[in-house]
Amino acid sequence: MTVMITGATGFIGRHLCAHLTGEGATVMAMLRQPARQLPELRRAVDRLGGDGQLVVGIPGDLDAPELGLPMGLQDVEAIIHLGARFGWRLDPAVAQRTNVAGSLAVAKLARSLGCRLVFISGFMLENRAHLEKLGITSDEPEQVNWSQVYRRAGSYEASKLEAAIRVRAYAQHAGIDLVEVQPATVAGHSESGELDRAQPLYTLLDNLARGRMALVPGTPEHWLPLVPVDHLARLIALAATAGEVPDRLLALDATTPNLRGLLTTAAHELGKKPPTRHIPMPILAALLSIPGVARIMNTPVETLHFIQPTRFETADQERFATEQGLRRSDITEVIRRTASFYAGQGGRTVSEPGNVF
Ligand SMILES: NC(=O)c1ccc[n+]([C@@H]2O[C@H](COP(=O)([O-])OP(=O)(O)OC[C@H]3O[C@@H](n4cnc5c(N)ncnc54)[C@H](OP(=O)(O)O)[C@@H]3O)[C@@H](O)[C@H]2O)c1
């Protein structure tokens, strides 16, 4: 089987390439700079237990007209679209170009190749109350006031929501076989705990280790749902390769502890005192809106949206995972291993300040 992947060099993408090639699939990785990126990606895939030689690179860019791909692509059985500009305080036009226009260009490619599209969105797409608060009350993209959504949610989250809603509408109109995978915040590998420094959970651990988390955001109901990167990679691979797949797969471990529990497990591993008292979200959001505070606290206000009291219906995806033989790891143990990985790295700060919860 040949699967084309955008975002193959990213944190999830590398684990996905390792899993797919480990199963014997050929991965066609769309890369912005293949000459530089392909050798690095192959090394990463080998290190993660896959077969780097089964990864081929094709030049392409989500920002380029028609993705800047070479002519004559064929024999692709599925496209997995992971590529995105992932960060905080993004310029709305820039986020829209890469994350929305880029996603629609990938959907058009899937249509022209006549293959399945596995589109990676995010778990907030299943939080109806949150979508309504942002002003998203229709599945029809033209009915949504997107500039309001960008103002309320911040450009990263807004562009992911817009992309998902526009891709769904396009797929329905064009008759594309679309599977949407909706990941929660990604945790480290369930065995090694390995996590990229640019990942939001890494920054949360960094803030905890550096004493920037004296209080727990929200209430005891608030949580940050997680999914280990290897579990997510296997689920995405199944979304691309299995015969019958639900239209949407929420990749979220419903047994993730509340935020206080998460911080307590991580703090013990880091040898820190865990925060026990809560700070209400509106007060925290107001504090972070004071110029300079978000930077000092390494916490942009837009990241708070991902911490909510909402619980999610996961029965369908759990049934699919069970049918496919995909077993979940103990998420508290994954948090412990991820924190231990962080500690083993010497607790280096992230390269992009403000990439945090
Ligand atoms: N990590 C999470 O907690 C999480 C949760 C929910 C959903 N997601 C979604 O999962 C996907 C992957 O996340 P990740 O954590 O693996 O992100 P990541 O590590 O930041 O990787 C992003 C990937 O996108 C590629 N990319 C960025 N701009 C591009 C462009 N203009 N053209 C082509 N490729 C481009 C990057 O390529 P370069 O190497 O060339 O920069 C990289 O491979 C994203 O869609 C993200 O929104 C992630």
Side-chain angles (χ1 to χ4, degrees):
M1 177 163 202
T2 298
V3 180
M4 178 176 160
I5 301 184
T6 71
T9 53
F11 180 55
I12 302 168
R14 296 195 303 275
H15 285 272
L16 177 61
C17 289
H19 178 70
L20 281 167
T21 58
E23 302 270 295
T26 297
V27 168
M28 202 184 268
M30 186 185 96
L31 302 171
R32 292 196 270 189
Q33 296 177 306
R36 180 179 65 78
Q37 292 177 305
L38 183 60
E40 270 175 36
L41 177 58
R42 284 182 167 161
R43 276 195 294 277
V45 167
D46 286 338
R47 188 179 60 75
L48 293 170
D51 181 352
Q53 289 312 308
L54 289 176
V55 181
V56 292
I58 46 164
D61 188 332
L62 293 168
D63 294 340
E66 299 187 358
L67 303 172
L69 288 167
M71 302 290 282
L73 276 188
Q74 53 190 3
D75 298 333
V76 174
E77 278 137 287
I79 301 178
I80 300 174
H81 178 42
L82 277 162
R85 219 173 265 268
F86 187 17
W88 315 118
R89 305 189 188 94
L90 292 176
D91 178 77
V94 172
Q96 239 170 349
R97 190 183 63 207
T98 309
N99 297 354
V100 183
S103 295
L104 283 168
V106 174
K108 284 181 188 146
L109 177 68
R111 183 192 195 184
S112 70
L113 294 173
C115 67
R116 178 178 293 173
L117 172 62
V118 179
F119 174 72
I120 314 304
S121 62
F123 75 108
M124 297 304 274
L125 264 306
E126 290 303 308
N127 188 337
R128 288 270 140 214
H130 177 66
L131 296 184
E132 276 173 28
K133 246 196 231 165
L134 296 177
I136 302 175
T137 51
S138 168
D139 294 337
E140 175 48 59
E142 301 313 326
Q143 300 295 318
V144 178
N145 177 347
W146 288 109
S147 31
Q148 174 183 281
V149 177
Y150 278 71
R151 268 197 315 279
R152 290 182 179 173
S155 299
Y156 167 69
E157 189 196 347
S159 64
K160 292 295 292 184
L161 299 174
E162 184 181 1
I165 290 170
R166 289 197 186 278
V167 166
R168 286 174 194 168
Y170 175 77
Q172 195 175 18
H173 160 78
I176 298 174
D177 176 8
L178 173 69
V179 179
E180 184 179 322
V181 179
Q182 305 169 314
T185 294
V186 176
H189 189 280
S190 59
E191 281 166 24
S192 65
E194 184 173 333
L195 184 69
D196 268 11
R197 288 190 293 147
Q199 288 293 313
L201 182 62
Y202 193 99
T203 317
L204 180 73
L205 296 173
D206 194 51
N207 281 348
L208 186 62
R210 288 167 194 277
R212 293 192 200 107
M213 297 229 35
L215 298 168
V216 185
T219 66
E221 303 302 311
H222 281 75
W223 67 320
L224 178 65
L226 297 176
V227 58
V229 67
D230 48 320
H231 182 91
L232 176 60
R234 291 202 299 273
L235 189 71
I236 295 173
L238 285 168
T241 57
E244 290 289 309
V245 185
D247 294 347
R248 292 184 200 163
L249 286 169
L250 185 59
L252 173 156
D253 190 321
T255 66
T256 307
N258 65 6
L259 187 59
R260 182 176 162 183
L262 187 165
L263 294 172
T264 301
T265 299
H268 286 146
E269 200 58 33
L270 298 171
K272 298 281 167 185
K273 199 164 165 275
T276 52
R277 285 188 300 146
H278 290 83
I279 175 167
M281 279 295 187
I283 295 179
L284 182 56
L287 281 174
L288 293 174
S289 303
I290 298 170
V293 174
R295 209 163 276 281
I296 294 165
M297 297 304 292
N298 200 19
T299 306
V301 72
E302 64 192 280
T303 62
L304 299 182
H305 285 171
F306 296 88
I307 301 168
Q308 299 257 356
T310 313
R311 299 278 145 179
F312 298 85
E313 180 47 67
T314 54
D316 285 353
Q317 26 284 326
E318 276 168 17
R319 194 173 317 111
F320 173 72
T322 307
E323 279 164 14
Q324 298 293 330
L326 182 55
R327 290 183 49 218
R328 289 203 259 101
S329 316
D330 175 348
I331 196 72
T332 299
E333 184 58 22
V334 174
I335 295 166
R336 204 189 59 67
R337 289 182 183 174
T338 306
S340 165
F341 173 82
Y342 168 89
Q345 294 249 302
R348 282 182 268 149
T349 42
V350 287
S351 51
E352 186 206 343
N355 202 355
V356 72
F357 290 107

